[in-house]
Amino acid sequence: MTPSHGPGTGPASRWSDLERPPLNAPALRRALLRPGSLWTSVDLVPGTGSTNTDLAARAASLPEGAVLVAEEQTAGRGRLDRTWTAPARSGLFFSVLLKPDVPARRLAWLPLLTGVAVATGLARAAGVDTALKWPNDLLVTVGGEERKAGGILAERAGDDGVVVGVGVNVTLRAEELPVPTAGSLALADAVCTDRDPLLRAVLRSLEEWYGRWTAASGDPDAAGLQAAYAAGCATLGRAVRAELPGDRTLTGRAAAIDGEGRLVVALPDGGREAVGAGDIVHLRPAD
């Protein structure tokens, strides 16, 4: 689109693409930073390499509930350091600092919990049915096909912190897709692509699910999280091929998500094997 130049603006203005206005930081703070809320700060930057990297570097000096939002990421990362890029103001790119008091074996549920929260928030605010691909992808339907519209990355930060990063394509256009299998909320016919209410809805949903999970000492079954994830997970029930380190491959049917957040694969010989997100290189449909 041709940039529109209003009074006092130029080609590099943050308002140059009127279909992608900037986020309103003061309004986000008013909505989210309330007494008793999980969220303790909301910082918005015009651009950065990675919100996860930046927030992790400050984790020791910040309380739980810090939120860092970027209008653009130039070195966004997915799982296994895969790159994530998108045009400025075309999506939600943010990280949160959490310090859950739960058993260490339950921490693998944090990215899955975040997936449930993001899908729930987007369903409410954008009217888009967002499915989850284990372990960390957000899927939407575009033209009858499943497309990846977002991803989640959780990383330890210090002794007791976890930084969880989320990237969601909101207004990405067909000609801007990095790969043909990518999608966006706009391409999935979202009823709302205003990023302010979308971000508020996602963070409120994350606060709700995180509160349930931590109140249950990280038990995903008691928190209702395990059932919610299974209900929204597009991976379950499908034939999959898990590519593991050392050129090992596991093929079978994705049967369940166990209590530690691992994918349980039903093997052709009748056996079952559970694989964790850290054990897998790729998860693909079986031929």
Side-chain angles (χ1 to χ4, degrees), residues 54-63 97 99 157-161 163:
D54 293 353
L55 195 55
R58 300 169 52 208
S61 63
L62 292 172
L97 174 62
K99 299 183 178 182
D159 295 333
D160 62 348
V163 171

Side-chain angles (χ1 to χ4, degrees), residues 98-110:
L98 303 173
K99 299 183 178 182
D101 183 14
V102 303
R105 70 181 187 280
R106 302 293 195 190
L107 290 176
W109 272 97
L110 259 182

Side-chain angles (χ1 to χ4, degrees), residues 7 11 28 37 42 124 138 223 227 259:
L28 288 169
S37 169
V42 177
R124 292 172 181 165
L138 304 165

